[in-house]
Amino acid sequence: MKQKFRSILSLILLAFFTFWLIYYVIAHLDDFKIIHNLVWPAAALLALVILAESFASGLFIKVVMTHFHVKLGFSEWYGLSVVTRFWNIILPFRGGAGVRALYLKKIHKFPLTEFFATMLSLYFLIILVNSAIGLFCLILLLALDKIFLMPLFIFFLGFFLVMLGMVIFSPKIPASRYAIWNKISKAMNAWHGIRTDPSVMRSLIAITVLNSAVGLFTVYFSYASFGSKMTIFQCLLISTLFNFTSMINITPGALGVVESVMILTARLFEIRPAESLMAAALIRAVHMFLMFTMGMMFNYRLGIKLRDQFTAPKKTG
């Protein structure tokens, strides 16, 4: 029932965005003529930046797994990053994470509760780093342009304080006779182990900051591909919200969610919605092309390992 509700919600939101997009394009057709002015060198740099983003995500997987004494080769940690993105494009609600969990469980006997801890570390650090960057951008905006966006400030500050508390103070949770609570406590205790591992945490924070920097250039080159002049500061604020919303995979690939945020944020800098739509569409098109091209290859390579694991004869005692 829950899965059916999610599917219906995803379809409704996807249909709403599709109809709005068609209406907007028809009503502002002249604004989209900039597509003929595509700057190919900037688009090529965008592709390289998106590849760098998938590389950084793979590094995160590699490092966090070392805490659990699981060593992944390049074809695994980078392949899992690509495969996760591949399936996130196709499936709603971050279905790619489920594929990664299945692979790690079958190939490396990695428990689901500990996998949830790796997901918690990913979410906690992405939100912590990006909310800190968002606060920095808003303070800079106030200092330079005398503009203070109170709703965004409260949004970033709230997330920053909550995530800072989770990173610094989250204690171990005792076991219970209730099965569901036991699973939650195991996942949270596994996260406790990650956050109290200084070398792993330093590496994960550095990778998350790197990923945010890559996101900045993703936004910059997407607008530059259509001749739009964006400052690094403007791109930083847009990419920060972009990183927040990219985690909301209600629709496949967060289609419609990311585009809406890019349009609304860019309006703060008097950028036309058509330009933002084209920039967002280019990011999505390049991302889909790269992840589908490499995703097919890594799905095959990792799939062979899974197939061999499923078809291997079971040992009898």
Side-chain angles (χ1 to χ4, degrees):
M1 186 68 182
K2 189 177 179 181
Q3 187 63 36
K4 189 176 180 181
F5 172 76
R6 287 182 173 182
S7 299
I8 292 171
L9 177 62
S10 176
L11 286 172
I12 291 172
L13 292 174
L14 195 57
F16 175 80
F17 176 74
T18 302
F19 285 126
W20 176 85
L21 181 62
I22 292 170
Y23 166 78
Y24 185 87
V25 171
I26 292 173
H28 302 83
L29 205 55
D30 287 343
D31 291 345
F32 288 90
K33 289 181 179 179
I34 57 173
I35 194 172
H36 299 298
N37 303 323
L38 183 66
V39 181
W40 288 101
L45 288 171
L46 173 63
L48 290 176
V49 169
I50 289 174
L51 285 175
E53 190 177 11
S54 64
F55 187 83
S57 296
L59 280 177
F60 193 101
I61 295 170
K62 177 187 178 183
V63 171
V64 78
M65 293 303 292
T66 61
H67 171 75
F68 299 99
H69 309 291
V70 176
K71 292 185 178 180
L72 301 176
F74 174 80
S75 64
E76 287 188 298
W77 61 261
Y78 185 64
L80 285 172
S81 171
V82 171
V83 167
T84 300
R85 288 163 177 266
F86 173 88
W87 287 106
N88 279 345
I89 293 170
I90 298 171
L91 302 172
F93 297 98
R94 302 195 72 82
V99 176
R100 187 165 80 242
L102 173 66
Y103 178 88
L104 292 172
K105 182 175 176 60
K106 291 297 180 183
I107 302 301
H108 295 282
K109 306 295 185 288
F110 192 60
L112 284 177
T113 50
E114 293 184 350
F115 175 79
F116 290 141
T118 68
M119 293 297 293
L120 286 175
S121 65
L122 175 66
Y123 283 125
F124 287 167
L125 292 179
I126 286 177
I127 294 172
L128 177 66
V129 168
N130 282 281
S131 57
I133 293 172
L135 287 171
F136 169 76
C137 289
L138 293 178
I139 292 169
L140 202 60
L141 187 65
L142 176 63
L144 297 177
D145 299 327
K146 309 301 180 192
I147 298 173
F148 184 62
L149 304 171
M150 179 61 79
L152 269 183
F153 183 82
I154 294 172
F155 173 81
F156 284 132
L157 183 62
F159 273 109
F160 177 76
L161 292 176
V162 170
M163 290 302 107
L164 189 64
M166 293 300 296
V167 169
I168 296 176
F169 301 112
S170 55
K172 280 192 171 184
I173 299 176
S176 167
R177 59 192 179 91
Y178 298 105
I180 295 177
W181 182 254
N182 261 341
K183 290 179 181 179
I184 294 172
S185 68
K186 284 180 181 178
M188 289 302 295
N189 291 339
W191 154 246
H192 176 83
I194 294 171
R195 80 166 188 84
T196 53
D197 187 332
S199 62
V200 168
M201 278 299 288
R202 280 195 299 268
S203 297
L204 293 180
I205 291 171
I207 293 167
T208 307
V209 172
L210 172 65
N211 209 29
S212 296
V214 170
L216 182 161
F217 287 106
T218 299
V219 173
Y220 179 82
F221 287 122
S222 67
Y223 280 98
S225 297
F226 296 104
S228 299
K229 302 296 182 183
M230 298 280 289
T231 66
I232 294 297
F233 162 68
Q234 290 170 337
C235 293
L236 187 60
L237 182 58
I238 294 172
S239 67
T240 298
L241 286 167
F242 185 98
N243 289 334
F244 265 93
T245 53
S246 62
M247 295 187 294
I248 308 173
N249 274 48
I250 299 174
T251 57
L255 182 63
V257 180
V258 169
E259 286 79 358
S260 300
V261 168
M262 278 191 72
I263 291 168
L264 292 172
T265 312
R267 289 295 291 168
L268 295 172
F269 307 114
E270 299 181 351
I271 297 169
R272 292 179 302 168
E275 291 180 70
S276 296
L277 269 176
M278 294 303 298
L282 184 62
I283 292 173
R284 190 171 294 281
V286 173
H287 181 263
M288 287 179 67
F289 174 77
L290 292 173
M291 293 305 111
F292 269 87
T293 302
M294 295 192 301
M296 296 298 288
M297 179 182 70
F298 282 112
N299 267 305
Y300 176 75
R301 290 190 64 176
L302 300 181
I304 288 175
K305 289 187 178 182
L306 273 177
R307 183 198 63 191
D308 292 344
Q309 186 69 24
F310 277 113
T311 57
K314 294 182 179 180
K315 294 180 180 179
T316 55

